[in-house]
Every structure is written in structure tokens, then in C-alpha cells.
Amino acid sequence: MTSPRTDDAEGIPAATVIVFRDAPSGGPPEILMTIRSRELVFAGGMAVFPGGRVDPSDYELGAMIGGPLDPEEAAHQIAVVRETLEETGLVIGLAGEIDSDKARRARSYLLQTGDLATVLDHFGWELDLDQLTPFARWFPKNERLTRLFDTRFYIADLGTGAVEIEADLAENTHLFWTSAQAALDAAERGDIKVIFPTRRNLERLAQFGSFSAAKEQAERIPVRTIMPFTEEREGTKWLRIDEDLGYPITAEALETVMRG
């Protein structure tokens, strides 16, 4: 069995998902974002994508399922499925007889048990991790943060997006659908706050006119661990990332960077 990494120096294993849906009025696709509770130590009050740390039960289930994924990667994808159901009530990465009523009951059952495997057994569902496409991996080990997460990002598509969502209110206060560009515009106005990785990912997402375009780029550019670094140019310090990972903007003046 693959054991979870828990040493903060190595980074807390985490996973997050960017859920796409078709915009109801046409135009660029929308993505699901959530506002984290201000009470949380890491990224409190920030707009982020659904997700969280990888739990021991995710590793246990990842080791059990077999298939082409190595157990650690499987555990991260399972964490995405579990966290998304917990935080939003949204079912992704699962297959079976699924409707809005069963999704509500599954979420309640998951919140009681904390274990996705028991949910699968109870509802007769199966994992369908092909619904998730690896998109990025961020590990800001060079920065001084209150929590150091090694986070894998995935993308998934809802199509029409005719689903019910509801914030869990424990870690999140608000869920909303928005285009990537609209989220960036809201951040510029000060309506929402976004940390450095979220802003860079929104800029990358704003390039795509459809989920298929985002998936094509994600499959074409191999996922490498992104470790932001500081660089000084002409008396100004910048926080930077490498330039060959699909991101249109790779630097931000350090004085404007929001951290967790």
C-alpha cells in the first residue's frame, strides 16, 4: 500500500479540480469556484477551485482499484472525487445510476462516514477516473507559507451543467459559476481575492473557448511540478514560474502577490 506523505517539509498532498460547464447564454465555458471560509488558516477568504488534502482512505482505495494509474496518482484523483462531493454536492468521476436525489443522499452519507469507498458500496457506484484530466501540479516549496501543499490540478467537464450545487459551509461560504476571464476581472475590481497559483491558472483557462481546447492542451503539455521562484529585475522583485508549461503570464511583481 502506498502511504500518504504527511511531512509539511515535503508538502501536504492535495488535489483540486476545475469543473467546466457550457455557459447557459453561450460564449466561453464557465468554471466552478468557491470562496473559502475566512476562519481557515490557509487561503482563508480566497476564491479557489474545489479540492483539499488527500486522506489516508484515498490512498487505501487507490491501492485497491488497480488499473493503469499508480496508487499515488489514483489517490489524488479519488481525493478530487470525494472533496468535490463533500464541498459542492457535485458528482464527478463516478459512474452508475446517479441523479440529483442520490447525489444529495450520497453527500450526506459521505459527510457521516468520511469514506468514499462506503459511498460506492452503498449506492452501487463505481469510480470513473477517466472523467478527470491532469492539468497541473503546484508545489511552492520555495515560498514561506502557513501551509505547504503539493497540489495536483485536474479538469473535468459537465457539459450542459444542469446540476444542483450547495456549499458545505464548513470550509466554504459560497459557490459560483464564472468564466475564467470574468473571475480575473472580479479579482481586478477587488470583488474576489485569488492567490498566485489560482490567478495563473485562471489566466491559462481564459485562453480556451471550450473544454475540449483545454483538454487538448493539457494532454499535449506534460505535467511538471511548478515551483515558483523569486527573481529581481531592475530593482523589482518578481515571483515567477517556468515559461514552457502553458501559462500565458509567468511572473507577477512580488508586492502584489497574494499568498495563502
Side-chain angles (χ1 to χ4, degrees):
M1 181 184 298
T2 302
S3 299
R5 291 180 289 111
T6 57
D7 186 350
D8 280 22
E10 297 180 1
I12 301 168
T16 191
V17 63
I18 301 158
V19 182
F20 283 66
R21 76 169 186 181
D22 298 338
S25 58
E30 294 182 336
I31 55 176
L32 182 61
M33 299 194 74
T34 179
I35 304 294
R36 285 174 60 84
S37 169
R38 294 183 182 276
E39 305 302 318
L40 297 174
V41 174
F42 179 78
M46 300 292 177
V48 298
F49 309 112
R53 69 173 63 202
V54 185
D55 284 351
S57 63
D58 302 324
Y59 284 96
E60 293 170 6
L61 184 54
M64 289 171 51
I65 63 173
L69 295 177
D70 73 78
E72 182 159 336
E73 174 63 20
H76 282 73
Q77 296 192 21
I78 289 165
V80 157
V81 174
R82 176 184 54 76
E83 287 279 352
T84 303
L85 182 57
E86 285 180 358
E87 291 186 357
T88 73
L90 189 61
V91 177
I92 61 168
L94 296 175
E97 294 184 5
I98 300 171
D99 57 30
S100 59
D101 178 64
K102 287 184 178 179
R104 283 193 298 270
R105 290 191 286 120
R107 182 190 197 182
S108 177
Y109 195 68
L110 177 60
L111 290 171
Q112 292 175 26
T113 65
D115 180 21
L116 184 63
T118 61
V119 174
L120 301 184
D121 290 341
H122 185 79
F123 289 90
W125 294 348
E126 296 181 349
L127 290 166
D128 183 10
L129 299 180
D130 287 342
Q131 295 179 27
L132 305 175
T133 299
F135 188 69
R137 182 175 179 179
W138 284 72
F139 182 23
K141 65 182 298 182
N142 300 318
E143 300 181 67
R144 296 179 180 179
L145 300 176
T146 54
R147 291 287 189 277
L148 184 59
F149 288 94
D150 182 355
T151 305
R152 303 187 192 195
F153 288 72
Y154 301 90
I155 57 174
D157 186 31
L158 284 182
T160 59
V163 293
E164 299 178 18
I165 56 173
E166 182 181 353
D168 64 347
L169 301 182
E171 295 187 1
N172 307 286
T173 61
H174 178 56
L175 292 168
F176 62 101
W177 292 101
T178 178
S179 71
Q181 187 58 56
L184 289 168
D185 293 342
E188 285 300 310
R189 293 192 304 267
D191 295 341
I192 62 173
K193 297 179 180 179
V194 292
I195 57 177
F196 183 80
T198 305
R199 183 180 289 275
R200 301 288 82 83
N201 277 297
L202 286 170
E203 291 160 351
R204 182 178 176 187
L205 293 164
Q207 301 176 107
F208 307 124
S210 65
F211 173 78
S212 61
K215 183 176 181 180
E216 186 279 328
Q217 194 208 60
E219 293 176 338
R220 177 167 44 85
I221 300 177
V223 172
R224 301 203 319 265
T225 303
I226 299 171
M227 292 182 286
F229 57 94
T230 303
E231 179 181 271
E232 185 167 334
R233 295 184 305 187
E234 299 179 353
T236 300
K237 290 185 177 180
W238 296 78
L239 190 61
R240 301 184 55 85
I241 61 175
D242 291 336
E243 297 186 353
D244 57 349
L245 298 171
Y247 291 84
I249 299 176
T250 57
E252 183 178 343
L254 196 58
E255 63 182 12
T256 67
V257 168
M258 287 190 179
R259 290 188 167 95

